[in-house]
Amino acid sequence: MDAARDRGYPFTDPVGAVAAATRRPPRWRLRRAWLMLSWVAVATLALTLQLPDSDLNDHDGITVVMAATAVQGVVLLVWRRPPDWFLLGLSPTGTIAVSVMVAVSKPIALIPLFYIWPIVTAAYFLQRREVLANYVLVLVGFGVALWGWAVPDARLIMWLSLAVVSGTLAFLMVILKDGLNVMMQRLEVLATHDSLTGALNRRAFGERISEEVARARRTGKPCALAILDVDHFKSVNDRFGHAAGDRALERLAELVSGRLRSGDAFGRLGGEEFAVLLAGTDVAGARDYSESLRQLIAADDTGTPLTVSIGVAGLVDDAETMQLAADRALYRAKAEGRDRVLVG
């Protein structure tokens, strides 16, 4: 299951799902979209009934559809958290309502254009299989509605026209949505990860620490933090150049990332300082992990040789206290000669 589906399955909303201002779920925006469409449809139908018309036989059918749409609008207005099945049913319900109007309206004039609303809404907010199902329902509904009265030649050309237009719009919307999904996911990665090493940036890592501390307090399981700093990194830049320094940091990130377990997190706090959040690990386990990591980095001979100093701390009171303890341990490790692990 991809990221878009994870956020609000079975609904999608690539723009709204990562909107920093609101963080509204896709189902919230789908409800708002159908609330607006319902009342726009009611207003349009009400206006249609007021226009001059030599044949009033179809007004009763249109009135029924308008009243049903108004009821739907009221329900969406007052029911702020409708279940998924209700929201999934809005597009097919809209398609059926348009088909009823096609069946009772003679001539049908521009009524088939209303099919665009449910199919485009489905194409943006629903998964591909639901979009296909709604498209098939549009074709079947329009065909059945035309069968009762339209002459064969007119029936075929109208059906084909709607099939091509609605299918093209649905296809374009799905393609656009896929492109937006990719772009938004890339933007989200850029907003949360360091561009050089791929590690979480300081803000995102801080959020991850807060989440893990909250989880640890709920479950009673431990967690620990290891903060590591590259020893004498300025001399690496001075001797080999900044490009070599960047490559060295990239290699360090590769080594650390290769030792992460499920649930752990790796972040770059700034410059040559990094941190590893160890989920479900006590202080003793974190010290052993950090010592093996220190030895791994020191023994690596694929690039510029590096050593690191590491400060370790476990969760005692809160996330801030844990970070301060690990930071103090790191400074003690550097003061005592570097290339070592100390526990705070």
Side-chain angles (χ1 to χ4, degrees):
M1 188 177 291
D2 59 29
R5 291 165 69 92
D6 285 339
R7 289 195 184 95
Y9 183 77
F11 308 109
T12 64
D13 181 12
V15 175
V18 294
T22 60
R23 289 284 179 178
R24 299 291 190 179
R27 54 179 47 84
W28 182 89
R29 295 180 185 275
L30 175 58
R31 170 186 162 270
R32 290 293 298 269
W34 270 110
L35 176 62
M36 180 196 71
L37 289 176
S38 297
W39 289 110
V40 170
V42 169
T44 303
L45 294 176
L47 178 62
T48 300
L49 293 175
Q50 300 304 313
L51 296 176
D53 191 349
S54 58
D55 184 1
L56 303 180
N57 291 329
D58 58 357
H59 280 210
D60 289 343
I62 294 177
T63 300
V64 170
V65 172
M66 181 179 69
T69 306
V71 171
Q72 175 179 282
V74 172
V75 170
L76 287 169
L77 183 64
V78 300
W79 199 3
R80 295 185 175 275
R81 296 182 180 274
D84 290 353
W85 63 263
F86 182 84
L87 294 174
L88 285 169
L90 290 173
S91 286
T93 299
T95 296
I96 293 171
V98 178
S99 299
V100 169
M101 288 195 295
V102 171
V104 303
S105 301
K106 302 178 182 61
I108 62 173
L110 298 177
I111 287 177
L113 290 178
F114 282 98
Y115 280 116
I116 291 175
W117 292 1
I119 192 63
V120 169
T121 305
Y124 182 79
F125 284 103
L126 305 184
Q127 306 294 331
R128 290 189 179 188
R129 62 173 177 267
E130 284 89 4
V131 176
L132 179 60
N134 277 278
Y135 178 62
V136 171
L137 182 61
V138 167
L139 300 185
V140 172
F142 191 45
V144 171
L146 289 174
W147 190 265
W149 63 269
V151 297
D153 291 345
R155 181 192 310 157
L156 182 60
I157 190 63
M158 286 189 288
W159 187 88
L160 286 175
S161 297
L162 180 70
V164 171
V165 171
S166 61
T168 301
L169 287 174
F171 176 76
L172 291 176
M173 182 60 72
V174 169
I175 294 300
L176 174 64
K177 182 173 65 175
D178 288 347
L180 286 173
N181 268 325
V182 172
M183 181 182 70
M184 291 301 175
Q185 289 168 20
R186 288 178 178 174
L187 288 175
E188 194 166 22
V189 169
L190 289 174
T192 57
H193 290 72
D194 173 56
S195 59
L196 176 65
T197 63
L200 293 173
N201 60 28
R202 190 181 190 95
R203 179 185 60 80
F205 188 75
E207 292 175 355
R208 182 67 183 84
I209 292 177
S210 298
E211 292 171 0
E212 180 58 29
V213 167
R215 186 204 62 79
R217 293 202 171 281
R218 286 195 311 269
T219 62
K221 294 181 178 180
C223 67
L225 180 67
I227 300 180
L228 54 144
D229 188 87
V230 179
D231 298 326
H232 304 294
F233 186 68
K234 184 177 182 303
S235 65
V236 173
N237 283 329
D238 291 342
R239 290 176 58 196
F240 304 106
H242 288 281
D246 287 347
R247 288 193 297 271
L249 293 181
E250 290 176 326
R251 178 55 182 164
L252 182 145
E254 290 176 4
L255 294 173
V256 177
S257 297
R259 298 293 304 276
L260 295 179
R261 307 159 305 166
S262 175
D264 293 344
F266 174 48
R268 185 179 184 184
L269 304 183
E272 64 273 17
E273 188 172 81
F274 297 84
V276 180
L277 176 64
L278 300 165
T281 302
D282 59 15
V283 174
R287 191 197 183 288
D288 292 341
Y289 169 90
S290 299
E291 179 59 31
S292 65
L293 183 62
R294 182 194 68 79
Q295 294 177 15
L296 177 69
I297 294 171
D300 181 64
D301 58 0
T302 59
T304 304
L306 296 177
T307 63
V308 294
S309 300
I310 305 178
V312 176
L315 177 60
V316 179
D317 296 319
D318 52 31
E320 183 177 358
T321 303
M322 181 170 64
Q323 292 179 70
L324 287 174
D327 208 41
R328 292 193 193 100
L330 169 64
Y331 278 101
R332 289 202 339 264
K334 296 179 79 68
E336 293 182 16
R338 296 181 170 85
D339 191 20
R340 64 194 62 215
V341 176
L342 290 183
V343 176

